[in-house]
């Protein structure tokens, strides 16, 4: 990782940040295993112009999000989740508990397009094909999944049970 920190693109990013005070950069640690990802995060945190740390689905797959979020926040960085790995409800609740600044995912839209529900337990079985299917596509169903996901992320909802209750009561 250290050789990349000397890369001209990193130097240009630092100069750009110095010339535009409102510009903020997000860095995303990568690695082949947990040790590599954590080491890469620590290297990225040494770059003073990095304001945000983006944690990818790999960090969720490796069960590192909580640990990496703490490390980043201890260094004064804000954390953003980049996608969900397998259980969107649990991962959104985890992000809320960790006080992340955001999460982007197309997961609820994919589920809605497939006619599947956000409430299905672990709604992504291995090998699920996310190609669009006209026979399953319903704008109303898709809208319901998106609204449920947004409500989960933005409300004071703190449990899957609460989301299920609101979903079944027709809130979305």
């Amino acid at each position: 990782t250290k050789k990349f920190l000397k890369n001209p693109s990193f130097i240009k990013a630092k100069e750009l940040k110095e010339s535009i005070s409102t510009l903020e950069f997000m860095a995303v640690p990568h690695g082949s295993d947990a040790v590599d990802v954590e080491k890469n995060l620590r290297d990225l945190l040494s770059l003073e112009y990095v304001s945000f740390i983006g944690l990818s689905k790999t960090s969720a797959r490796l069960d590192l999000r909580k640990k990496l979020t703490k490390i980043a926040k201890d260094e004064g960085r804000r954390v953003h989740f980049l996608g969900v790995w397998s259980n969107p409800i649990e991962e959104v609740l985890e992000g809320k508990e960790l006080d992340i600044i955001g999460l982007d995912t197309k997961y609820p839209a994919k589920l809605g397009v497939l006619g599947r529900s956000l409430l299905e337990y672990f709604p992504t079985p291995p090998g699920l094909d996310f190609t669009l299917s006209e026979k399953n596509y319903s704008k109303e169903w898709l809208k319901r999944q998106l609204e449920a996901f947004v409500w989960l992320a933005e409300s004071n909802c703190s449990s899957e049970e609460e989301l299920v209750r609101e979903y079944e009561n027709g809130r979305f």
Side-chain angles (χ1 to χ4, degrees), residues 5 9-10 13-14 16-17 22-30 40-41 43-57 59 65 72 76-83 100-105:
L5 297 178
S9 63
F10 281 101
K14 183 178 179 182
L16 189 57
K17 173 68 176 154
T22 58
L23 184 64
E24 295 185 291
F25 288 97
M26 179 186 295
V28 181
H30 293 280
N40 186 235
L41 171 65
D43 288 341
L44 293 170
L45 290 170
S46 72
L47 302 170
E48 68 276 357
Y49 59 85
V50 171
S51 304
F52 302 93
I53 295 298
L55 296 179
S56 69
K57 290 187 280 189
S59 66
R65 279 190 168 161
R77 300 321 201 290
R78 294 166 284 173
V79 176
H80 181 89
F81 286 177
L82 300 165
I100 64 170
I101 60 160
L103 177 144
D104 32 280
T105 182

Side-chain angles (χ1 to χ4, degrees), residues 64-79:
L64 287 174
R65 279 190 168 161
K66 186 177 271 188
K67 180 179 184 179
L68 299 179
T69 297
K70 181 179 179 348
I71 292 168
K73 290 180 117 189
D74 286 349
E75 292 293 322
R77 300 321 201 290
R78 294 166 284 173
V79 176

Side-chain angles (χ1 to χ4, degrees), residues 22-163:
T22 58
L23 184 64
E24 295 185 291
F25 288 97
M26 179 186 295
V28 181
H30 293 280
S32 58
D33 59 29
V35 173
D36 284 347
V37 174
E38 184 178 341
K39 182 180 178 325
N40 186 235
L41 171 65
R42 292 185 187 280
D43 288 341
L44 293 170
L45 290 170
S46 72
L47 302 170
E48 68 276 357
Y49 59 85
V50 171
S51 304
F52 302 93
I53 295 298
L55 296 179
S56 69
K57 290 187 280 189
T58 301
S59 66
R61 180 178 54 81
L62 295 172
D63 197 26
L64 287 174
R65 279 190 168 161
K66 186 177 271 188
K67 180 179 184 179
L68 299 179
T69 297
K70 181 179 179 348
I71 292 168
K73 290 180 117 189
D74 286 349
E75 292 293 322
R77 300 321 201 290
R78 294 166 284 173
V79 176
H80 181 89
F81 286 177
L82 300 165
V84 294
W85 174 246
S86 64
N87 185 340
I89 296 170
E90 181 181 298
E91 292 178 55
V92 169
L93 292 172
E94 177 186 37
K96 289 169 72 168
E97 178 186 318
L98 297 172
D99 196 28
I100 64 170
I101 60 160
L103 177 144
D104 32 280
T105 182
K106 54 189 168 189
Y107 203 95
K110 289 178 177 181
L111 291 173
V113 165
L114 291 168
R116 304 211 35 211
S117 168
L118 183 66
L119 299 183
E120 293 178 48
Y121 186 69
F122 290 101
T124 308
L128 179 63
D129 182 6
F130 276 134
T131 56
L132 298 179
S133 169
E134 285 296 320
K135 67 181 174 111
N136 292 334
Y137 182 72
S138 158
K139 286 182 183 176
E140 293 76 27
W141 183 256
L142 175 58
K143 183 175 185 272
R144 185 174 189 206
Q145 304 319 303
L146 293 172
E147 286 176 350
F149 191 82
V150 169
W151 184 82
L152 171 66
E154 294 180 350
S155 73
N156 291 329
C157 177
S158 61
S159 70
E160 184 172 349
E161 293 77 21
E162 186 179 351
L163 174 64

